[in-house]
Amino acid sequence: MRRNWNRRRRNRRLLRTGILVTLVCVMVLFGWGIGYLARELQNSMGKGVYTVAVDAGHGGSDTGAVGVLQESDMTAETAELLTQLLAADPHFRPVATRTDYTATATPAERSTAANRAHPDLLLSIHGNSNGNSADTAGFECYPVTPGRREHDDSMRFAALLVGRMQEAGAAIRGTNGIRYAYYGENDQKTIVDSADDTKRSETTFTILERSRCPAVLAEQCFVTSAADVDAFGDDDGCARAAECYYLAICDYFGVTPHEADSTAASAASAAQ
Ligand SMILES: [Zn+2]
Protein backbone atom coordinates (compact mmCIF):
# COMPACT_ATOMS: atom_id res chain seq x y z
CA MET A 1 0.00 0.00 0.00
CA ARG A 2 2.68 2.40 1.12
CA ARG A 3 4.90 1.25 -1.78
CA ASN A 4 2.10 2.10 -4.26
CA TRP A 5 1.70 5.52 -2.71
CA ASN A 6 5.45 6.15 -3.02
CA ARG A 7 5.41 5.06 -6.65
CA ARG A 8 2.49 7.37 -7.42
CA ARG A 9 4.34 10.26 -5.78
CA ARG A 10 7.48 9.49 -7.82
CA ASN A 11 5.42 9.30 -11.03
CA ARG A 12 3.80 12.63 -10.27
CA ARG A 13 7.22 14.19 -9.68
CA LEU A 14 8.50 12.74 -12.99
CA LEU A 15 5.41 14.07 -14.78
CA ARG A 16 5.92 17.54 -13.28
CA THR A 17 9.61 17.56 -14.32
CA GLY A 18 8.65 16.38 -17.82
CA ILE A 19 6.09 19.15 -18.19
CA LEU A 20 8.58 21.72 -16.93
CA VAL A 21 11.31 20.57 -19.34
CA THR A 22 8.84 20.58 -22.25
CA LEU A 23 7.68 24.08 -21.31
CA VAL A 24 11.28 25.37 -21.19
CA CYS A 25 12.01 23.78 -24.60
CA VAL A 26 8.87 25.32 -26.12
CA MET A 27 9.80 28.74 -24.70
CA VAL A 28 13.39 28.52 -26.02
CA LEU A 29 12.17 27.45 -29.47
CA PHE A 30 9.55 30.20 -29.45
CA GLY A 31 12.14 32.83 -28.54
CA TRP A 32 14.50 31.59 -31.25
CA GLY A 33 11.64 31.59 -33.78
CA ILE A 34 10.65 35.17 -32.92
CA GLY A 35 14.29 36.32 -33.23
CA TYR A 36 14.66 34.55 -36.57
CA LEU A 37 11.44 36.07 -37.93
CA ALA A 38 12.45 39.54 -36.74
CA ARG A 39 15.81 39.24 -38.53
CA GLU A 40 14.16 37.96 -41.71
CA LEU A 41 11.59 40.76 -41.60
CA GLN A 42 14.29 43.38 -41.05
CA ASN A 43 16.31 42.01 -43.97
CA SER A 44 13.32 41.82 -46.28
CA MET A 45 12.49 45.44 -45.48
CA GLY A 46 16.02 46.38 -46.53
CA LYS A 47 16.78 47.98 -43.19
CA GLY A 48 19.16 45.31 -42.01
CA VAL A 49 22.75 45.70 -41.00
CA TYR A 50 24.87 44.31 -43.80
CA THR A 51 27.76 42.05 -42.86
CA VAL A 52 30.77 42.70 -45.05
CA ALA A 53 33.77 40.37 -45.03
CA VAL A 54 36.98 42.36 -45.50
CA ASP A 55 39.76 40.05 -46.63
CA ALA A 56 43.34 41.33 -46.35
CA GLY A 57 44.74 39.17 -49.16
CA HIS A 58 48.16 38.54 -47.56
CA GLY A 59 49.74 38.51 -44.12
CA GLY A 60 52.23 36.79 -41.85
CA SER A 61 54.79 34.70 -43.72
CA ASP A 62 52.74 35.18 -46.90
CA THR A 63 53.97 38.62 -47.96
CA GLY A 64 52.49 38.56 -51.45
CA ALA A 65 54.32 40.47 -54.16
CA VAL A 66 57.24 42.72 -53.30
CA GLY A 67 58.03 45.85 -55.29
CA VAL A 68 58.18 49.47 -54.21
CA LEU A 69 56.37 48.13 -51.18
CA GLN A 70 55.30 44.76 -49.82
CA GLU A 71 51.82 43.67 -50.89
CA SER A 72 50.85 42.41 -47.39
CA ASP A 73 51.62 45.84 -45.85
CA MET A 74 49.33 47.50 -48.36
CA THR A 75 46.51 44.95 -48.02
CA ALA A 76 46.63 45.16 -44.20
CA GLU A 77 46.53 48.95 -44.18
CA THR A 78 43.71 49.17 -46.71
CA ALA A 79 41.70 46.41 -45.00
CA GLU A 80 42.07 48.19 -41.66
CA LEU A 81 41.00 51.57 -43.06
CA LEU A 82 38.02 50.02 -44.85
CA THR A 83 37.03 48.16 -41.67
CA GLN A 84 37.11 51.46 -39.75
CA LEU A 85 34.92 53.18 -42.37
CA LEU A 86 32.39 50.34 -42.30
CA ALA A 87 32.41 50.13 -38.48
CA ALA A 88 31.65 53.86 -38.24
CA ASP A 89 28.57 53.37 -40.40
CA PRO A 90 25.53 51.81 -38.65
CA HIS A 91 24.51 50.15 -41.94
CA PHE A 92 27.45 47.76 -41.76
CA ARG A 93 29.10 45.10 -39.65
CA PRO A 94 32.61 44.46 -40.97
CA VAL A 95 34.18 41.07 -40.30
CA ALA A 96 37.82 40.12 -40.81
CA THR A 97 38.92 36.89 -42.44
CA ARG A 98 42.11 36.56 -40.38
CA THR A 99 42.64 36.87 -36.64
CA ASP A 100 45.12 39.70 -37.20
CA TYR A 101 47.08 41.13 -40.09
CA THR A 102 50.30 39.40 -39.06
CA ALA A 103 48.63 35.97 -38.98
CA THR A 104 49.40 33.58 -41.81
CA ALA A 105 46.19 32.10 -43.22
CA THR A 106 45.47 30.24 -46.47
CA PRO A 107 42.66 31.40 -48.78
CA ALA A 108 40.67 28.30 -47.74
CA GLU A 109 41.04 29.17 -44.05
CA ARG A 110 40.06 32.79 -44.68
CA SER A 111 37.09 31.68 -46.73
CA THR A 112 35.91 29.39 -43.90
CA ALA A 113 36.27 32.28 -41.44
CA ALA A 114 34.25 34.55 -43.73
CA ASN A 115 31.47 32.02 -44.33
CA ARG A 116 31.15 31.47 -40.58
CA ALA A 117 30.02 35.11 -40.24
CA HIS A 118 27.36 34.66 -42.98
CA PRO A 119 28.41 37.84 -44.82
CA ASP A 120 26.29 39.60 -47.42
CA LEU A 121 29.36 40.59 -49.43
CA LEU A 122 33.08 39.84 -49.52
CA LEU A 123 35.95 41.98 -50.77
CA SER A 124 39.40 40.46 -51.06
CA ILE A 125 42.13 43.11 -51.22
CA HIS A 126 45.31 42.48 -53.22
CA GLY A 127 48.09 44.28 -55.05
CA ASN A 128 49.24 43.43 -58.55
CA SER A 129 52.84 43.10 -59.74
CA ASN A 130 54.91 43.03 -62.88
CA GLY A 131 58.59 42.45 -62.18
CA ASN A 132 59.49 43.09 -65.83
CA SER A 133 57.95 46.51 -66.23
CA ALA A 134 57.66 49.29 -63.68
CA ASP A 135 55.30 51.02 -66.11
CA THR A 136 52.52 48.45 -65.83
CA ALA A 137 49.85 50.06 -63.69
CA GLY A 138 46.13 50.28 -63.02
CA PHE A 139 43.19 48.73 -61.22
CA GLU A 140 41.43 45.49 -62.09
CA CYS A 141 39.13 43.17 -60.22
CA TYR A 142 37.81 39.62 -60.35
CA PRO A 143 34.22 38.65 -59.53
CA VAL A 144 32.83 35.15 -58.95
CA THR A 145 32.87 33.56 -62.43
CA PRO A 146 29.93 33.00 -64.85
CA GLY A 147 27.61 30.10 -64.13
CA ARG A 148 28.15 30.29 -60.37
CA ARG A 149 25.25 31.21 -58.09
CA GLU A 150 26.80 34.50 -56.92
CA HIS A 151 28.05 35.63 -60.32
CA ASP A 152 25.49 38.34 -61.18
CA ASP A 153 25.73 40.22 -57.88
CA SER A 154 29.52 39.83 -57.81
CA MET A 155 29.64 41.33 -61.30
CA ARG A 156 27.45 44.23 -60.19
CA PHE A 157 29.75 44.92 -57.23
CA ALA A 158 32.84 44.68 -59.48
CA ALA A 159 31.41 47.33 -61.83
CA LEU A 160 30.71 49.64 -58.87
CA LEU A 161 34.30 49.18 -57.60
CA VAL A 162 35.69 50.02 -61.04
CA GLY A 163 33.44 53.09 -61.23
CA ARG A 164 34.61 54.44 -57.86
CA MET A 165 38.30 53.73 -58.56
CA GLN A 166 38.04 55.39 -61.97
CA GLU A 167 36.40 58.41 -60.35
CA ALA A 168 39.36 58.62 -57.95
CA GLY A 169 41.76 58.70 -60.90
CA ALA A 170 42.82 55.06 -61.28
CA ALA A 171 43.73 53.74 -64.70
CA ILE A 172 41.44 50.82 -65.52
CA ARG A 173 43.00 47.72 -67.01
CA GLY A 174 41.52 45.76 -69.95
CA THR A 175 38.24 46.79 -71.51
CA ASN A 176 36.36 47.51 -68.27
CA GLY A 177 38.69 46.56 -65.41
CA ILE A 178 36.80 43.31 -64.77
CA ARG A 179 38.36 39.93 -65.51
CA TYR A 180 37.91 36.28 -64.67
CA ALA A 181 40.68 34.07 -63.37
CA TYR A 182 40.63 30.30 -63.97
CA TYR A 183 42.92 27.60 -62.66
CA GLY A 184 43.33 24.60 -64.94
CA GLU A 185 45.49 21.51 -64.64
CA ASN A 186 48.73 21.97 -62.67
CA ASP A 187 47.33 25.24 -61.35
CA GLN A 188 47.84 26.86 -64.75
CA LYS A 189 46.19 30.27 -64.45
CA THR A 190 44.18 31.75 -67.32
CA ILE A 191 42.93 35.33 -67.24
CA VAL A 192 39.87 36.04 -69.36
CA ASP A 193 38.30 39.40 -70.17
CA SER A 194 34.81 39.73 -68.66
CA ALA A 195 33.36 40.19 -72.18
CA ASP A 196 33.84 36.41 -72.48
CA ASP A 197 31.13 35.04 -70.18
CA THR A 198 31.49 31.40 -71.25
CA LYS A 199 30.66 29.08 -68.34
CA ARG A 200 33.82 27.14 -67.62
CA SER A 201 34.45 24.17 -65.38
CA GLU A 202 37.79 25.41 -64.03
CA THR A 203 37.78 26.96 -60.59
CA THR A 204 38.68 30.57 -59.84
CA PHE A 205 40.55 32.08 -56.84
CA THR A 206 39.78 29.93 -53.76
CA ILE A 207 38.48 32.88 -51.75
CA LEU A 208 35.87 33.51 -54.47
CA GLU A 209 35.23 29.87 -55.34
CA ARG A 210 34.33 28.97 -51.77
CA SER A 211 32.45 32.15 -50.93
CA ARG A 212 28.76 31.73 -50.11
CA CYS A 213 28.02 35.38 -50.87
CA PRO A 214 28.76 37.75 -53.77
CA ALA A 215 32.52 38.29 -53.78
CA VAL A 216 35.17 40.24 -55.65
CA LEU A 217 38.96 40.16 -55.52
CA ALA A 218 40.44 43.61 -56.18
CA GLU A 219 43.96 44.25 -57.49
CA GLN A 220 44.28 47.73 -56.01
CA CYS A 221 47.40 48.84 -57.86
CA PHE A 222 50.77 47.53 -59.02
CA VAL A 223 53.20 47.33 -56.11
CA THR A 224 55.96 47.35 -58.75
CA SER A 225 54.93 50.77 -60.11
CA ALA A 226 56.09 53.84 -58.17
CA ALA A 227 53.36 55.98 -59.75
CA ASP A 228 50.66 53.44 -58.91
CA VAL A 229 51.92 53.07 -55.32
CA ASP A 230 51.94 56.84 -54.98
CA ALA A 231 48.30 56.99 -56.06
CA PHE A 232 46.80 53.90 -54.39
CA GLY A 233 49.46 52.07 -52.38
CA ASP A 234 51.17 54.39 -49.87
CA ASP A 235 49.42 55.71 -46.73
CA ASP A 236 47.36 58.29 -48.62
CA GLY A 237 46.83 55.84 -51.47
CA CYS A 238 45.46 53.12 -49.17
CA ALA A 239 43.09 55.67 -47.61
CA ARG A 240 41.96 56.70 -51.11
CA ALA A 241 41.35 53.07 -52.13
CA ALA A 242 39.56 52.24 -48.85
CA GLU A 243 37.25 55.21 -49.43
CA CYS A 244 36.49 53.96 -52.98
CA TYR A 245 35.74 50.47 -51.66
CA TYR A 246 33.49 51.87 -48.94
CA LEU A 247 31.55 54.02 -51.42
CA ALA A 248 31.17 51.06 -53.81
CA ILE A 249 29.82 48.94 -50.92
CA CYS A 250 27.29 51.71 -50.13
CA ASP A 251 26.35 51.83 -53.83
CA TYR A 252 25.91 48.05 -53.86
CA PHE A 253 23.48 48.03 -50.93
CA GLY A 254 21.82 51.29 -51.99
CA VAL A 255 22.60 53.13 -48.76
CA THR A 256 23.76 56.73 -48.32
CA PRO A 257 27.42 56.87 -47.31
CA HIS A 258 27.89 57.71 -43.65
CA GLU A 259 30.28 60.56 -44.43
CA ALA A 260 27.77 62.13 -46.81
CA ASP A 261 25.29 61.96 -43.91
CA SER A 262 27.68 63.74 -41.56
CA THR A 263 28.76 66.22 -44.27
CA ALA A 264 25.12 67.04 -44.92
CA ALA A 265 24.48 67.31 -41.18
CA SER A 266 27.43 69.66 -40.60
CA ALA A 267 26.43 71.74 -43.65
CA ALA A 268 22.92 71.98 -42.24
CA SER A 269 24.15 73.00 -38.78
CA ALA A 270 26.56 75.54 -40.33
CA ALA A 271 23.64 77.06 -42.24
CA GLN A 272 21.67 77.59 -39.05
ZN1 LIG B 1 47.84 39.07 -53.78
Side-chain angles (χ1 to χ4, degrees), residues 57-58 62-65 71-72 75 110 124-128 217-219:
H58 299 272
D62 166 27
T63 59
E71 188 182 350
S72 57
T75 58
R110 279 152 35 222
S124 183
I125 301 169
H126 285 258
N128 226 331
L217 184 149
E219 297 279 14

Side-chain angles (χ1 to χ4, degrees), residues 45-65:
M45 287 167 74
K47 288 180 184 162
V49 173
Y50 303 106
T51 302
V52 181
V54 179
D55 177 50
H58 299 272
S61 62
D62 166 27
T63 59

Side-chain angles (χ1 to χ4, degrees), residues 9-246:
R9 216 167 62 155
R10 202 167 48 235
N11 284 347
R12 270 207 303 273
R13 208 183 306 139
L14 274 174
L15 189 67
R16 268 205 304 271
T17 313
I19 289 172
L20 200 69
V21 167
T22 310
L23 266 176
V24 167
C25 288
V26 166
M27 279 164 71
V28 166
L29 275 174
F30 184 72
W32 178 83
I34 291 284
Y36 177 78
L37 281 177
R39 275 195 303 276
E40 285 295 299
L41 193 68
Q42 204 179 35
N43 283 341
S44 69
M45 287 167 74
K47 288 180 184 162
V49 173
Y50 303 106
T51 302
V52 181
V54 179
D55 177 50
H58 299 272
S61 62
D62 166 27
T63 59
V66 179
V68 181
L69 52 72
Q70 189 169 292
E71 188 182 350
S72 57
D73 291 339
M74 188 187 83
T75 58
E77 190 170 347
T78 310
E80 180 52 30
L81 291 168
L82 175 59
T83 299
Q84 286 173 15
L85 285 171
L86 291 169
D89 185 331
H91 291 115
F92 301 114
R93 183 175 78 96
V95 291
T97 56
R98 46 175 87 237
T99 47
D100 67 71
Y101 298 122
T102 57
T104 307
T106 64
E109 286 166 343
R110 279 152 35 222
S111 172
T112 301
N115 287 335
R116 211 178 288 135
H118 303 289
D120 299 294
L121 189 67
L122 179 143
L123 176 64
S124 183
I125 301 169
H126 285 258
N128 226 331
S129 70
N130 183 348
N132 299 322
S133 167
D135 294 334
T136 312
F139 176 83
E140 67 189 23
C141 62
Y142 295 82
V144 171
T145 50
R148 303 294 203 271
R149 197 170 62 114
E150 307 294 355
H151 169 68
D152 289 352
D153 283 333
S154 303
M155 192 67 182
R156 188 166 68 83
F157 180 42
L160 293 167
L161 284 167
V162 169
R164 287 295 186 178
M165 285 297 287
Q166 204 163 19
E167 216 174 74
I172 301 304
R173 289 176 47 81
T175 48
N176 61 358
I178 306 174
R179 292 171 161 176
Y180 303 129
Y182 295 102
Y183 286 97
E185 274 175 44
N186 305 322
D187 270 353
Q188 185 80 35
K189 187 159 102 174
T190 313
I191 302 290
V192 175
D193 196 274
S194 63
D196 179 0
D197 59 1
T198 314
K199 292 170 189 165
R200 299 166 64 135
S201 59
E202 299 111 296
T203 55
T204 187
F205 296 118
T206 304
I207 195 87
L208 303 181
E209 192 67 37
R210 294 175 47 137
S211 175
R212 295 206 202 107
C213 66
V216 173
L217 184 149
E219 297 279 14
Q220 189 160 312
C221 67
F222 276 75
V223 299
T224 41
S225 154
D228 234 11
V229 165
D230 200 37
F232 292 100
D234 63 7
D235 290 347
D236 289 347
C238 289
R240 206 168 289 129
E243 175 84 13
C244 288
Y245 298 160
Y246 166 69

